[in-house]
Amino acid sequence: MHESAGDRPPEGARAEPSRQVSPGAVLRAPFTARAWAEATYCLVGFPLAVVGAVLLLVLLALGTGLTASLVGAVLGLALVVGAVGLARGCAAVHRRLAQGLLDERVEAPPRLRPTGKAFARLDARLRDAAGWRAVAYVLVKLPVAAFGLYAVGWWLTALLNLSAPLRWAAFHQRPAAGEAGMPTITPIPLGGGAPHSTSFAGTFVAAAIGAVTLLAAPWFTRGVVAVDRWLIRALLGPGQLAERVRSLEESRALAVNDSAALLRRLERDLHDGAQVRLVALAMGLDMAKERLGPEGEPIADPARVRQLVDIAHRNATEALTELRDLARGIHPPALDDGLPDALSTLAARSSVPVELSVDVPRRPTPAIETIAYFCAAELLTNVIKHSGARRAVLWVAQEDGVLRLRVTDDGRGGAALGAGSGLTGLQQRVRTVDGRLDVSSPSGGPTAVTVELPLHA
């Protein structure tokens, strides 16, 4: 084991997959289900975007005009409210379409249920933040959908150009006398005009252009869809405040459940362990006292008394051991000298060689130290039991007011949340203090688990 401290993770601490695109992936891209699903999404999304945007613009224009005229202000406000409701409906359609074709799952914002009198309900609907975000999405979706339709055009032109030799030979689509030849369709406007095929051999030039266009089409489509995905996440979800409230509610529930489970475990361990030992100790001492007899008289059976005292001593020792183990489960004594010393001890006891790097200039609160320690202990236990690794790296540092802990190994990989490796329990423990846990473990390794915790609970 080697101990060091630094501002960067040691070599091998990061296990992020490479984002380079291989030539094989480029060649396979047009024939993947993802590419066709994205092209279908762009094709279906365009008419929906046009209809939604046109209706929304008409309602907003009429509503704004009537409201500004003051004569039809009530009707104008009603039209504006109707436009917001229409935008919510369009947003729901786009969310379902994205979920069905792109597997983009965005939780719908809560339904607006205004109460009170008519004007109070009207005011609540006009202040509907989720509704106005949906309005923004429907309006911005139109140009994005236009680019998506243009991306679908790349697919169509590619297929047409690829079929040029077939159309020339099988369907006799040859140029008549005086014509320039069979035109090559290109998705990008060319200043000098597209090339024309005047012979059968020339059609293979068009087919080559079609092949290049077909290879580029999925990536252009994916870029347009990526913009749409970002818009969906940013505008059609429940909003940052609602997400934050829900996250805090879940964290509070997890903290309460974790505390209740800890108390139940302590009660069970005390009842079934230390308490039993102490009862046996008391009974053994009572029996030894009876065997001693009245004061001043000789002991009738000294061997039996000695045996009872030995049993009582053993019960007392075991009770102390169990109580010490329970106390260690609540707060490890190794943390008394700080997190670096505790992690050093933890790494030294590992049966797999661990390279340790700790840079914690400012000590976190005790609760954060305890969570970080137990996370490191559980992750190193997973490395020993499940990974088959020959070495591991434990890196801890403070960055931007966050305590980051990363455990990597060169094992077989395949670790995942919910796979029975204890990672789900760690994730719940981390979330109780508004932390996060990320797992990168492709099949074949390496595995990298990163825990981010605030410095103060």
Side-chain angles (χ1 to χ4, degrees):
M1 184 190 69
H2 170 70
E3 293 186 13
S4 62
D7 296 330
R8 296 178 301 174
E11 184 179 357
R14 295 186 183 272
E16 297 178 358
S18 174
R19 297 186 181 276
Q20 295 181 352
V21 180
S22 64
V26 174
L27 295 176
R28 292 191 302 269
F31 310 102
T32 60
R34 174 181 177 180
W36 286 98
E38 290 174 342
T40 304
Y41 176 80
C42 291
L43 185 62
V44 176
F46 179 73
L48 294 176
V50 171
V51 173
V54 169
L55 292 177
L56 187 63
L57 285 172
V58 170
L59 287 176
L60 286 176
L62 289 176
T64 304
L66 289 173
T67 303
S69 68
L70 299 179
V71 177
V74 176
L75 179 59
L77 291 175
L79 289 175
V80 172
V81 169
V84 175
L86 174 65
R88 270 183 169 261
C90 293
V93 173
H94 287 295
R95 271 195 306 269
R96 285 194 289 268
L97 184 64
Q99 180 176 342
L101 292 175
L102 307 179
D103 198 27
E104 183 69 38
R105 303 178 184 276
V106 176
E107 185 179 355
R111 294 184 61 182
L112 186 65
R113 302 180 185 276
T115 58
K117 297 182 180 180
F119 282 102
R121 293 196 298 271
L122 179 65
D123 180 69
R125 292 190 180 279
L126 288 174
R127 295 175 181 271
D128 180 14
W132 285 108
R133 288 199 307 272
V135 170
Y137 175 80
V138 173
L139 295 179
V140 177
K141 170 72 175 180
L142 184 58
V144 175
F147 275 103
L149 188 64
Y150 176 52
V152 174
W154 281 53
W155 291 85
L156 297 177
T157 57
L159 296 176
L160 284 173
N161 288 330
L162 278 173
S163 65
L166 178 64
R167 288 186 285 118
W168 182 287
F171 301 103
H172 305 287
Q173 293 186 3
R174 305 172 185 179
E179 293 183 358
M182 180 186 295
T184 300
I185 305 173
T186 60
I188 302 176
L190 298 176
H196 288 67
S197 302
T198 58
S199 63
F200 180 67
T203 60
F204 287 95
V205 176
I209 295 175
V212 173
T213 306
L214 184 63
L215 292 177
W219 304 100
F220 182 35
T221 307
R222 190 163 300 174
V224 176
V225 170
V227 175
D228 202 355
R229 285 178 185 269
W230 181 82
L231 289 173
I232 289 174
R233 297 191 197 107
L235 298 176
L236 299 189
Q240 294 183 353
L241 180 59
E243 283 286 336
R244 179 64 175 164
V245 170
R246 189 186 67 172
S247 177
L248 289 176
E249 289 176 347
E250 291 179 355
S251 298
R252 183 185 62 182
L254 288 173
V256 172
N257 293 336
D258 189 52
S259 299
L262 177 61
L263 289 175
R264 287 194 300 270
R265 181 177 65 83
L266 289 174
E267 180 183 6
R268 183 178 63 252
D269 291 344
L270 287 172
H271 181 272
D272 298 339
Q275 181 175 331
V276 172
R277 302 293 183 189
L278 292 175
V279 170
L281 170 63
M283 293 178 61
L285 292 176
D286 285 341
M287 295 173 64
K289 183 179 179 181
E290 291 178 359
R291 291 283 182 175
L292 288 175
E295 185 177 357
E297 294 184 5
I299 302 175
D301 190 357
R304 178 57 178 167
V305 172
R306 186 177 296 106
Q307 181 183 12
L308 291 173
V309 172
D310 289 341
I311 294 174
H313 180 267
R314 185 166 60 253
N315 285 328
T317 303
E318 292 176 354
L320 287 174
T321 301
E322 292 182 0
L323 289 173
R324 191 180 299 113
D325 291 339
L326 288 175
R328 186 179 295 112
I330 299 173
H331 178 76
L335 284 174
D336 292 342
D337 296 326
L339 186 61
D341 290 343
L343 294 179
S344 178
T345 303
L346 192 64
R349 293 175 179 174
S350 173
S351 58
V352 174
V354 177
E355 180 180 347
L356 180 65
S357 174
V358 182
D359 181 25
V360 186
R362 187 156 57 99
R363 187 168 184 176
T365 57
I368 298 300
E369 281 190 332
T370 302
I371 292 176
Y373 177 84
F374 281 120
C375 285
E378 178 67 23
L379 292 175
L380 289 179
T381 301
N382 285 348
V383 171
I384 296 170
K385 290 184 177 180
H386 306 294
S387 71
R390 291 173 296 179
R391 62 183 294 272
V393 178
L394 173 57
W395 174 80
V396 184
Q398 290 180 8
E399 296 178 344
D400 303 326
V402 176
L403 181 69
R404 287 186 174 88
L405 181 149
R406 183 180 296 112
V407 175
T408 62
D409 65 73
D410 59 356
R412 65 178 65 94
L417 292 170
S421 59
L423 294 176
T424 302
L426 286 186
Q427 185 184 45
Q428 293 178 350
R429 180 187 288 267
V430 166
R431 288 184 61 188
T432 58
V433 291
D434 205 19
R436 56 179 295 185
L437 181 143
D438 293 321
V439 180
S440 173
S441 182
S443 181
T447 295
V449 182
T450 305
V451 177
E452 295 184 357
L453 298 168
L455 295 180
H456 304 280

